């Protein structure tokens, strides 16, 4: 059999890597029931988790239809990771109305909690329906997708509410920027880092053909950004230093509605699973809402261990300010974001952030 090798590797790795959800959810009988073409597709999704047995998720979707096509596999992975039932259905909703525990009027003002102005950021992952997901794209696909997005960006650039410019890493692109300009955008948290350094993305094929088809659109005020060609086709985000979370949340919703209405752009979604993303950790909303906050007392030992212990029950994840898998800042600045993305609404995510920060502030004060 064509996949005997991989099947036995999975079986051999399974016992020693209980935390690798894709390996744990792989069912050889289900796999055997698939056609050879389907088997190839599903094996592609698992490649990153086989090559990196220390993975927590251990798989990425490679086609927009993979979650629906391989539901018996993905339902298990999703249930385990997101702690939901295997038949859970996702619902999208941006309205804060009816969510409990928020200030009346719905203004989520961190200053009212006694917090200083913070870097606030909300991003969503989006993928176009008419391309493979990044793990299965050819170099030509990546460049064609970038070309299609450049047409869409010209509409934003012509609009005084957005303006700005597109910056490309693709050799020969008319908007190509040099390495120094790229590094400056990375340092400003505007552009993403070289993905080929991420072994999970590399093994998934998502980092392939770097830097072809990679770039970012940045609005005139630098508060609205669209990454092209990272882990998802698009990462669409709003950033601002301030106190009112609604500002970045509402601006993102408005911008997202505008972009999704541009002719020819259709975002992949699943009837039961909501927004389709490469990584099952992001499925549903594709949303990560975060702030950078200084918590020197909870990080006094130089690690994020205490902060993580406090944040976990609040539904919050702790990262370094350099992004995923980066250490915390020397001054105790960390990136805090709600952990949930799936079977939670967009509005609930922003509410979890607001309520969690209120409690985190109390814990930080108590730890002094
Ligand atoms: N593939 C890695 C794992 O399974 C990372 C998953 C979450 N991170 C991400 N950027 N999607 O552990």
């Amino acid at each position: 059999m064509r996949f005997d090798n991989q099947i036995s590797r999975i079986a051999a790795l399974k016992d020693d890597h209980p935390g690798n959800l894709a390996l744990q959810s792989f069912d050889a009988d289900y796999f055997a029931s698939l056609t050879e073409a389907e088997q190839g597709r599903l094996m592609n999704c698992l490649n990153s988790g086989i090559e990196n047995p220390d993975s927590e998720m251990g798989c990425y979707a490679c086609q927009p239809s993979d979650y629906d096509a391989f539901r018996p596999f993905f339902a298990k992975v999703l249930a385990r990771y997101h702690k939901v039932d295997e038949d859970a259905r996702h619902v999208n909703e941006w309205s804060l109305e009816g969510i409990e525990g928020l200030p009346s009027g719905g203004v989520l003002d961190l200053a009212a909690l006694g917090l200083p102005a913070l870097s606030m950021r909300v991003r969503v992952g989006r993928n176009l329906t008419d391309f493979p997901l990044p793990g299965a794209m050819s170099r030509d696909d990546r460049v064609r997708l970038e070309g299609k997005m450049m047409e869409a960006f010209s509409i934003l650039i012509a609009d005084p509410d957005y303006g700005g410019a597109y910056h490309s890493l693709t050799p020969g692109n008319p908007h190509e920027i040099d390495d120094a300009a790229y590094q400056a955008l990375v340092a400003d948290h505007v552009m993403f880092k070289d993905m080929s350094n991420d072994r999970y993305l590399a093994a998934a094929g998502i980092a392939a053909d770097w830097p072809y088809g990679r770039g970012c659109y940045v609005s005139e005020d630098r508060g609205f950004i669209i990454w092209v060609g990272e882990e998802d086709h698009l990462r669409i985000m709003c950033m601002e230093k301030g106190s009112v979370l609604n500002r970045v949340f509402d601006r993102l919703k408005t911008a997202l509605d505008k972009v999704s209405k541009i002719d020819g752009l259709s975002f992949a979604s699943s009837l039961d699973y909501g927004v389709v993303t490469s990584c099952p950790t992001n499925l549903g909303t594709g949303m990560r809402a975060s702030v950078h906050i200084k918590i020197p007392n909870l990080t006094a030992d130089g690690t994020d261990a205490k902060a993580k212990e406090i944040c976990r029950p609040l539904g919050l994840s702790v990262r370094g300010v350099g992004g995923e898998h980066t250490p915390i800042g020397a001054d105790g600045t960390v990136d805090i974001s709600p952990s949930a993305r799936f079977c939670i609404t967009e509005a609930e995510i922003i509410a979890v952030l607001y309520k969690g920060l209120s409690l985190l502030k109390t814990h930080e004060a108590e730890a002094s």
Side-chain angles (χ1 to χ4, degrees):
M1 281 263 295
R2 211 178 122 200
F3 298 101
D4 280 352
N5 211 352
Q6 284 103 316
I7 296 170
S8 43
R9 270 183 84 189
I10 293 172
L13 289 167
K14 215 168 184 165
D15 287 349
D16 287 339
H17 300 280
N20 183 322
L21 301 184
L23 297 183
Q24 295 309 320
S25 306
F26 181 83
D27 175 351
D29 291 334
Y30 167 61
F31 190 77
S33 76
L34 301 173
T35 66
E36 194 172 304
E38 289 167 338
Q39 291 183 340
R41 265 176 70 183
L42 183 55
M43 229 9 128
N44 272 347
C45 299
L46 279 138
N47 207 37
S48 186
I50 299 173
E51 295 299 323
N52 299 285
D54 69 331
S55 294
E56 284 176 32
M57 176 48 78
C59 58
Y60 294 90
C62 293
Q63 299 291 336
S65 57
D66 278 354
Y67 291 101
D68 296 329
F70 303 112
R71 193 186 180 114
F73 168 73
F74 281 109
K76 281 200 205 118
V77 189
L78 291 165
R80 285 185 158 116
Y81 181 84
H82 297 283
K83 310 213 169 15
V84 296
D85 291 336
E86 284 190 27
D87 57 2
R89 294 194 60 188
H90 179 88
V91 176
N92 295 83
E93 177 59 64
W94 291 69
S95 168
L96 292 171
E97 225 159 287
I99 297 184
E100 280 172 26
L102 299 182
S104 59
V107 179
L108 310 183
D109 186 357
L110 302 176
L113 301 176
L115 290 166
L118 302 175
S119 286
M120 311 180 289
R121 177 181 183 269
V122 186
R123 64 88 163 149
V124 290
R126 289 292 185 272
N127 291 280
L128 301 186
T129 47
D130 47 352
F131 287 87
L133 294 178
M137 291 173 96
S138 64
R139 192 172 105 177
D140 183 56
D141 287 332
R142 297 181 206 277
V143 173
R144 279 192 305 113
L145 185 136
E146 183 185 35
K148 181 166 188 166
M149 289 313 301
M150 282 165 62
E151 282 175 39
F153 296 145
S154 66
I155 296 171
L156 295 180
I157 291 165
D159 182 333
D161 285 346
Y162 295 88
Y166 181 67
H167 308 287
S168 176
L169 303 186
T170 304
N173 184 290
H175 301 288
E176 186 183 357
I177 52 171
D178 65 15
D179 194 55
Y182 167 59
Q183 295 304 341
L185 289 175
V186 172
D188 289 347
H189 299 280
V190 166
M191 187 54 177
F192 49 98
K193 292 192 251 185
D194 183 341
M195 299 151 72
S196 35
N197 296 324
D198 182 318
R199 61 191 164 88
Y200 304 99
L201 295 180
I206 294 174
D209 309 312
W210 177 269
Y212 283 87
R214 273 59 177 224
C216 70
Y217 159 77
V218 187
S219 69
E220 182 64 34
D221 66 2
R222 295 190 126 203
F224 176 60
I225 296 165
I226 302 182
W227 291 354
V228 180
E230 208 240 14
E231 184 179 311
D232 292 299
H233 291 157
L234 307 174
R235 286 279 173 96
I236 305 177
M237 64 201 81
C238 281
M239 304 199 308
E240 182 180 312
K241 186 158 185 177
S243 298
V244 179
L245 285 174
N246 311 66
R247 283 183 55 92
V248 272
F249 184 73
D250 294 347
R251 189 181 188 196
L252 179 63
K253 174 68 173 121
T254 304
L256 201 55
D257 286 345
K258 179 167 174 92
V259 174
S260 64
K261 283 192 192 99
I262 293 176
D263 230 17
L265 297 188
S266 125
F267 295 152
S269 69
S270 153
L271 208 52
D272 287 345
Y273 291 154
V275 170
V276 165
T277 53
S278 284
C279 185
T281 62
N282 286 317
L283 195 70
T285 56
M287 176 180 280
R288 199 173 91 86
S290 60
V291 299
H292 287 178
I293 183 171
K294 209 160 139 178
I295 43 170
N297 299 332
L298 291 171
T299 55
D301 65 353
T303 77
D304 59 12
K306 181 81 189 156
K308 281 190 166 154
E309 186 191 312
I310 297 286
C311 283
R312 197 171 306 121
L314 305 179
L316 300 175
S317 300
V318 182
R319 291 181 176 184
V321 290
E324 198 178 16
H325 314 126
T326 61
I328 59 170
D331 64 348
T333 303
V334 294
D335 174 303
I336 298 286
S337 63
S339 317
R341 317 258 189 275
F342 182 59
C343 292
I344 180 170
T345 68
E346 286 80 356
E348 283 162 349
I349 290 179
I350 204 79
V352 168
L353 182 59
Y354 177 77
K355 291 190 257 184
L357 286 171
S358 166
L359 295 168
L360 181 61
K361 185 181 182 291
T362 310
H363 285 288
E364 167 68 10
E366 282 169 7
S368 70

